[in-house]
Amino acid sequence: MRRFPAFALCCAFFLTALGAITVPVRSNAVTTGFKVSKKTTQLVVGIAADWNANTVTLRRFERSPGGKWKLVGDPFPGRLGRKGLAWGRGVNPSEPVPAAVPVKREGDLRSPVGAFSLGSIFSYSADVEHNPKADFVQVTDADLLVDDPVSPMYNTHVRLSGPAQTDWEKSQAMERVDPAHELQIFVNHNVNPAPVPGAGSLILFHVWRKAGDATTAGCTSMERAKVFELVKWIDPARHPLYVLLPQALYDDVAVPWGLPKIDQTSPPPQTSTQASSTPPVPTLTTPKKVAAARPPITASPEPPVTRKRVSSSAPKVGK
């Protein structure tokens, strides 16, 4: 067996340890295991400064099938989970996880990183302009979004046959008088092929709080007018995706994933305390009960067994 001088071994050990500390190792699977489908012609891109950032710059892009991405409108600011980012479960491979990054867990106050299809739109009002092909749901007192990890309906939307009655149902009932949740878009994190219990739930686009001064529990929030713009713009037939990444990882995967080149010459937009001019803020009252958009599910003291996924009506995005 070949022998090495002790000094050389010590130097090699030191340099290896130093490299492990200063140079994060990323699996090739992260950069080569996924590419945005040619069918996807709408893209919402969110770029955060790093894994601990709770602010994000959002951009919309469009393209013809297989064409080049073109920016739609101007970049705009958003807020993320209070503790930053974590590796999520989207249409890109969820494993292996990049080295030394947190993995999304229920209640961790982190926003999931990855590429995600978009699901149902939830609204207090029926009078919201949206694509007729979208799965649009007017929220009633019979609607639940389940974040209970032990429930077989974890991370799904459920419409009961009547108003929530049991303590469990009430704990999962959707907000109906909260301005931050008057209009929401479900982000399909931890949805396909089936939700993994405890891997994070109910990730949404929604209106930010305190004019952008407040973080979220893991969702992506933004100015009220921007939520309405997204709802109007999104077309399920164009297989839209939401890609959320920290800047360094975006730089690594942009080319292999087929993502747009981002212009870094302009400073990122800042959160603003100015009130949105459009559309006007409605008076939030309990909406009248509407006809069920889905087959009703019988309520019981135990979590229901039959479930309806929020993404069921959205087209599947090809990998």
Side-chain angles (χ1 to χ4, degrees):
M1 182 174 68
R2 186 177 179 183
R3 298 178 182 275
F4 295 90
F7 177 76
L9 289 173
C10 290
C11 289
F13 176 80
F14 175 77
L15 291 174
T16 301
L18 182 62
I21 293 172
T22 59
V23 182
V25 178
R26 296 188 178 93
S27 168
N28 288 336
V30 175
T31 58
T32 62
F34 169 72
K35 188 169 186 176
V36 174
S37 168
K38 292 182 179 180
K39 295 180 180 179
T40 293
T41 59
Q42 286 185 326
L43 198 64
V44 180
V45 173
I47 300 180
D50 53 49
W51 288 91
N52 296 315
N54 54 36
T55 60
V56 63
T57 299
L58 298 162
R59 296 173 173 88
R60 292 184 294 154
F61 292 90
E62 290 183 336
R63 68 176 179 181
S64 58
K68 293 184 178 180
W69 293 110
K70 296 182 179 180
L71 182 67
V72 178
D74 296 323
F76 57 97
R79 298 308 304 265
L80 301 172
R82 180 165 62 86
K83 294 186 177 180
L85 303 172
W87 192 250
R89 299 185 70 250
V91 298
N92 60 296
S94 58
E95 294 181 353
V97 178
V101 302
V103 176
K104 178 63 184 172
R105 293 287 181 262
E106 188 69 36
D108 63 1
L109 301 179
R110 292 181 178 271
S111 298
V113 158
F116 308 94
S117 58
L118 299 177
S120 303
I121 298 168
F122 298 101
S123 174
Y124 293 166
S125 170
D127 300 324
V128 174
E129 189 173 359
H130 64 279
N131 190 293
K133 298 177 183 177
D135 183 27
F136 185 87
V137 180
Q138 185 180 6
V139 178
T140 73
D141 54 7
D143 286 292
L144 315 180
L145 279 181
V146 180
D147 63 0
D148 178 1
V150 303
S151 169
M153 306 191 73
Y154 178 63
N155 198 31
T156 64
H157 167 240
V158 177
R159 174 160 286 179
L160 303 173
S161 57
Q165 295 181 352
T166 69
D167 289 342
W168 182 87
E169 291 168 357
K170 291 178 181 178
S171 72
Q172 306 298 304
M174 294 184 69
E175 293 281 355
R176 294 188 299 128
V177 291
D178 182 357
H181 292 105
E182 64 166 306
L183 187 62
Q184 307 169 85
I185 305 170
F186 196 94
V187 176
N188 287 332
H189 158 73
N190 191 26
V191 169
N192 294 313
V196 174
S201 65
L202 313 190
I203 303 302
L204 304 154
F205 286 141
H206 66 76
V207 179
W208 62 18
R209 299 182 188 278
K210 298 181 180 179
D213 289 339
T215 58
T216 74
C219 297
T220 298
S221 67
M222 63 198 74
E223 186 181 3
R224 182 175 181 271
K226 294 300 181 183
V227 181
F228 279 81
E229 284 182 21
L230 280 179
V231 167
K232 180 181 177 181
W233 176 69
I234 289 171
D235 181 355
R238 301 184 69 177
H239 302 263
L241 290 182
Y242 174 41
V243 176
L244 175 61
L245 297 167
Q247 182 68 67
L249 186 55
Y250 190 93
D251 293 342
D252 284 349
V253 305
V255 172
W257 281 21
L259 301 176
K261 182 179 180 181
I262 301 297
D263 180 11
Q264 301 292 349
T265 59
S266 300
Q270 303 296 314
T271 58
S272 173
T273 57
Q274 295 179 348
S276 172
S277 59
T278 59
V281 178
T283 301
L284 300 179
T285 58
T286 301
K288 295 180 180 179
K289 187 173 181 179
V290 298
R294 300 169 173 75
I297 299 171
T298 303
S300 67
E302 297 298 324
V305 176
T306 305
R307 66 182 172 190
K308 184 73 172 181
R309 291 192 191 175
V310 288
S311 62
S312 59
S313 63
K316 293 184 178 179
V317 178
K319 295 186 179 180

